[in-house]
Amino acid sequence: MIKGLRTVAYPVADLAAAKAWYSKVFDTAPYFDQPFYVGFNIGGFELGLIPDGKPGKTGSMVYWGVDDIAAEVERIVALGATLHGAIQDVGENIKTVELADPFGNLLCLIDNPHFDVKAVR
């Protein structure tokens, strides 16, 4: 039985720069910080950075929840991300956006007023 998102891992070429950037984006320090892996606890979920990887904007897309998508896009772009696509209303007042991080990965956001945090296991 799949229980939901647990870990998102991004490959990065410069682990120190990625650690500093993601610390600013998520406003938190990593809880696990080793030369082979850096892990952040983001709302009970794991964001992992893997060094010497090959970043890319193809493959899996992982969406991080936000409450004000426009404000978060503005904040994260100011930190060095670029828009990969405009904010989209995908129906039922759910909004998504794709950003490109400075390391070549997609950082996707979702503003979903229907998300039930009590359903997270």
Side-chain angles (χ1 to χ4, degrees):
M1 174 190 209
I2 296 174
K3 295 187 176 186
L5 175 68
R6 294 295 186 267
T7 302
V8 175
Y10 290 143
V12 296
D14 185 336
L15 188 61
K19 176 175 63 173
W21 192 80
Y22 276 99
S23 291
K24 290 177 188 173
V25 167
F26 287 101
D27 195 28
T28 190
Y31 78 91
F32 189 85
D33 189 352
Q34 295 295 320
F36 57 88
Y37 182 84
V38 173
F40 295 86
N41 180 336
I42 311 298
F45 300 99
E46 175 95 0
L47 166 60
L49 302 176
I50 301 169
D52 303 322
K54 184 177 178 187
K57 295 182 187 94
T58 60
S60 299
M61 295 175 65
V62 178
Y63 288 85
W64 296 93
V66 298
D67 290 327
D68 184 341
I69 200 162
E72 283 301 298
V73 166
E74 183 178 331
R75 185 180 74 83
I76 295 170
V77 166
L79 290 171
T82 57
L83 277 175
H84 187 66
I87 296 172
Q88 300 289 315
D89 187 327
V90 297
E92 298 186 24
N93 204 28
I94 300 168
K95 295 177 182 72
T96 64
V97 69
E98 298 168 14
L99 301 161
D101 75 11
F103 315 101
N105 296 297
L106 282 181
L107 174 64
C108 304
L109 306 178
I110 186 167
D111 186 344
N112 181 354
H114 310 289
F115 180 76
D116 181 4
V117 72
K118 293 180 213 139
V120 174
R121 298 182 262 150

